[in-house]
Amino acid sequence: MPAPLKLPTRFLRLTVGPGFWWGLLSLGLVITTLTAGEEPGTLSGLVRYRERTESPWRFQRYYVADSRTGALAEAVVALTPKIPSDSISVRKPETKVMDQENFQFVPETIAIQVGDTVRFTNSDETLHNIMLSKGRDAFNVNLAKGEVYDHEFKEATSPLRPHRLGCVYHGSMQAWVFVLPNPFFAVTGKDGTFRFQNLPPGTYQLLVHHPAGRYALSQEIEIIGGTHLERTLELSPDQTIGKLITR
């Protein structure tokens, strides 16, 4: 059995047999670690939107600041190891904040690991609502200005099927929460970039998904210890989420 990686004290380290791995995966507690002597790899890149004049995206201006580069904001990049390790680490749950400001969820897209908490706040003078209508994590909460609601997400979602949130009082408000089973994910900023550090060597399925456009792309990558991998990922109106779901 490979030796577990030494992690900072905020992580609780466990070493178990491979049969137990799948149970923890469903709870989102799995972090693939390095075997003794292995060096981690790194991955970084850019997510771009390639527009089509014959298929315009009406929300493009909100997520593509510069049409010349096509850099795409608020795209989620998620990695799934092809072969899980039998040496695992369990990290402490984290909390991320999603505000309601100027009649928008800010940020509009959040990615977390199952077991993490999202803290919802309201900075507007008006009364808002947060509603998630499906699954074990369903809730429906009103928030006045300055109020806070913490919700722990206990069930992982597919990166192709994130939770969609809304406000019952303001129909144009929408947001997405990706609840993923491992810590290998990133959300692009305005520059469209992403970066992963300390990736255990191996084969991964890489998925990039932009929920507002319902665009998605999947590809297999190989992480080699001690090396850096660079990827440019292009999404376009041809790459809809429906094509991946129906494969």
Side-chain angles (χ1 to χ4, degrees), residues 72-236:
L72 185 60
E74 298 201 44
V76 174
V77 182
L79 303 178
T80 302
K82 284 286 190 177
I83 302 177
S85 169
D86 61 357
S87 179
I88 65 170
S89 295
V90 181
R91 68 163 174 77
K92 291 183 179 180
E94 298 178 354
T95 298
K96 294 189 177 180
V97 177
M98 178 178 280
D99 194 17
Q100 291 170 300
E101 184 178 10
N102 296 324
F103 295 88
Q104 293 179 318
F105 287 98
V106 182
E108 196 176 73
T109 303
I110 277 183
I112 61 174
Q113 190 172 347
V114 66
D116 287 349
T117 294
V118 177
R119 174 164 295 172
F120 296 96
T121 60
N122 180 8
S123 295
D124 284 342
E125 295 292 339
T126 190
L127 178 69
H128 281 307
N129 169 272
I130 310 154
M131 183 176 68
L132 171 58
S133 59
K134 297 180 180 179
R136 284 178 55 197
D137 284 311
F139 62 93
N140 190 348
V141 176
N142 289 338
L143 280 186
K145 179 179 175 63
E147 290 186 334
V148 173
Y149 172 66
D150 288 346
H151 186 85
E152 178 187 348
F153 287 83
K154 299 179 180 179
E155 186 173 38
T157 64
S158 162
L160 290 174
R161 299 183 186 273
H163 291 307
R164 184 182 181 277
L165 308 179
C167 171
V168 297
Y169 303 123
H170 309 100
S172 64
M173 294 178 64
Q174 60 181 353
W176 293 269
V177 178
F178 288 72
V179 187
L180 301 170
N182 65 51
F184 305 133
F185 54 81
V187 182
T188 60
K190 291 182 179 180
D191 62 358
T193 62
F194 63 91
R195 184 173 182 84
F196 295 89
Q197 306 221 61
N198 298 318
L199 287 173
T203 304
Y204 294 78
Q205 195 67 33
L206 180 154
L207 177 76
V208 56
H209 178 194
H210 197 281
R214 293 183 57 79
Y215 303 129
L217 170 69
S218 180
Q219 61 181 234
E220 191 174 279
I221 62 169
E222 186 75 22
I223 298 297
I224 299 173
T227 66
H228 176 72
L229 181 64
E230 188 83 18
R231 277 286 189 272
T232 297
L233 307 170
E234 278 197 347
L235 295 177
S236 74

